[in-house]
Amino acid sequence: MLQEKINLKWKELFKARDTVGKSAFECVKSKILVAEKSGSYELPLADSIIEGIIIKEVKELQETKTYYKPEDQQYKDLDYKISLLNEYLPKQMSVEEVKAVIAKLYEQEQNKGKLIGLTVKEIGSKFDKSKIAGLVNEVIGG
């Protein structure tokens, strides 16, 4: 279970006195706790929900990185946090792989809106969902 792996990694970083790495996992752990307490999800949280939380955290860290110069320590710390969190995400699919999934699903469903929804469901957290609509347009020529 992904949540257990995150807790173990946090403990490992805590014992190693790695405050930067530990803080990345503390943010994720707190967001997991908020999700659990929200009542919106079935407990225990599914790995796909936790992956979504990690993806959002990584995006926030990448956005924050734009405020610093590459030589700044904060930039390096953010890079380190992102690399640690990326280890807990599934292998990301390439654009070509996603296009192949879209082409396969297009054989079953020609409605563009439904095709986007099916693609998002099929791919899960293995690709940036915000880019799927554009890829669907490329594949079906719309």
Side-chain angles (χ1 to χ4, degrees):
M1 188 168 162
L2 188 55
Q3 191 169 358
E4 292 170 3
K5 290 179 183 177
I6 289 169
N7 287 333
L8 288 173
K9 184 64 174 183
W10 177 83
K11 286 178 186 177
E12 175 188 319
L13 294 167
F14 181 80
K15 288 178 183 175
R17 298 177 192 249
D18 182 347
T19 56
V20 175
K22 184 179 68 130
S23 71
F25 286 93
E26 286 172 345
C27 288
V28 169
K29 284 170 53 102
S30 69
K31 290 178 181 182
I32 289 171
L33 186 61
V34 168
E36 288 175 336
K37 300 287 182 189
S38 73
S40 301
Y41 306 103
E42 188 177 315
L43 298 178
L45 291 179
D47 285 353
S48 60
I49 304 294
I50 295 172
E51 287 170 356
I53 290 169
I54 296 171
I55 288 169
K56 286 180 185 176
E57 181 66 19
V58 167
K59 282 184 179 181
E60 289 174 16
L61 292 171
Q62 287 172 332
E63 187 176 308
T64 304
K65 226 169 74 166
T66 63
Y67 296 106
Y68 299 102
K69 297 176 185 166
E71 58 272 4
D72 293 343
Q73 185 59 45
Q74 293 93 333
Y75 186 95
K76 293 173 186 170
D77 290 348
L78 291 167
D79 251 355
Y80 176 57
K81 288 179 180 183
I82 291 167
S83 70
L84 285 174
L85 292 175
N86 277 332
E87 293 176 25
Y88 294 87
L89 293 175
K91 180 185 173 290
Q92 296 295 293
M93 295 175 75
S94 68
V95 171
E96 292 76 26
E97 291 171 321
V98 174
K99 285 182 177 181
V101 169
I102 293 168
K104 183 184 95 184
L105 292 172
Y106 186 62
E107 295 170 8
Q108 303 165 13
E109 180 61 63
Q110 281 75 43
N111 179 295
K112 183 177 162 185
K114 289 182 180 178
L115 181 59
I116 291 170
L118 286 172
T119 305
V120 168
K121 189 174 181 179
E122 177 81 20
I123 290 172
S125 59
K126 296 177 186 167
F127 191 77
D128 185 355
K129 291 178 175 89
S130 66
K131 297 178 183 175
I132 290 177
L135 293 177
V136 167
N137 284 334
E138 283 182 41
V139 171
I140 65 173

